[in-house]
Amino acid sequence: MRKWPGQRLALYHVIEYKASGEPRYKRPLWLIFVPVEIEIELPTPREAQAIYEERFSVEHSIRFMKGDLGLTCGQFNSTEAEGRVQVWVEMVATAFWFLWALRAMAETEGKMLPGWWRSGKLTPGSVRRLAAGLLLSLGWSKPQPKLRGKSSGRAAGTSLEPRERFKAYRSASQ
């Protein structure tokens, strides 16, 4: 058996209660925290709760960003798939951090905000909609469209091997 290096972690057993004092859920929630570096102190239960609550906004932002960038419909069937998935994840993370950086600028440019932005709350979606205007105010100009012709297509006589197909699994057929 392999010998794995030791790793510090904290396991939290979370039970939420309703106002009446009864448990909110039948089963408790188990949270695990693994510090990036050994020197980092493990969070107290209250700090762990704050970290866990922040997790949802980050995960949902990345999920929506993936949908906006069209990254939810990729098919990775080749041996190079791991590299392509890594590039896509890095692209989503870069776009997310770019919006985070633009957020501070959107807060300072309060007078120039459009009329549709009534709530005043800076969510990743609202910053994304404001991003083009913010970039134009920085002097960025949008690229000019390039003329494209009709694609010549594949070379004559090119034949591709069919993709590997898998049989549909149905549990009712057993």
Side-chain angles (χ1 to χ4, degrees):
M1 184 166 194
R2 295 182 184 163
K3 290 195 172 206
W4 297 97
Q7 178 72 48
R8 290 181 59 220
L9 62 93
L11 181 65
Y12 299 97
H13 183 219
V14 180
I15 302 173
E16 288 188 39
Y17 294 99
K18 296 179 184 175
S20 63
E22 61 184 80
R24 181 177 299 274
Y25 305 108
K26 291 180 183 177
R27 294 173 29 184
L29 180 65
W30 291 92
L31 304 175
I32 188 168
F33 179 83
V34 180
V36 178
E37 297 177 11
I38 293 178
E39 298 84 30
I40 296 176
E41 279 189 45
L42 296 174
T44 64
R46 188 155 313 278
E47 292 170 340
Q49 178 184 6
I51 291 169
Y52 187 74
E53 288 172 358
E54 287 296 318
R55 180 179 148 257
F56 288 109
S57 62
V58 172
E59 286 183 0
H60 288 299
S61 299
I62 290 175
R63 182 171 60 99
F64 294 138
M65 186 81 58
K66 283 174 61 179
D68 290 343
L69 293 175
L71 303 180
T72 57
C73 53
Q75 293 185 11
F76 302 104
N77 297 323
S78 66
T79 55
E80 299 88 24
E82 185 177 334
R84 279 188 266 154
V85 169
Q86 181 66 29
V87 169
W88 279 26
V89 169
E90 288 175 7
M91 188 169 63
V92 170
T94 302
F96 179 72
W97 286 113
F98 181 67
L99 288 178
W100 181 78
L102 282 178
R103 180 180 179 167
M105 188 176 170
E107 287 174 344
T108 60
E109 300 287 330
K111 297 174 185 163
M112 297 174 26
L113 296 176
W116 58 261
W117 194 49
R118 291 182 185 90
S119 71
K121 184 176 180 184
L122 284 175
T123 64
S126 63
V127 175
R128 180 182 53 82
R129 288 188 293 273
L130 293 169
L134 293 173
L135 290 172
L136 289 172
S137 69
L138 288 174
W140 174 76
S141 61
K142 62 182 182 179
Q144 295 298 316
K146 296 179 182 177
L147 295 176
R148 304 287 184 193
K150 184 173 165 62
S151 171
S152 58
R154 291 191 176 100
T158 302
S159 63
L160 302 175
E161 293 183 24
R163 213 168 92 181
E164 184 180 356
R165 302 289 179 177
F166 298 95
K167 186 176 177 183
Y169 175 77
R170 291 182 175 76
S171 60
S173 63
Q174 295 183 13

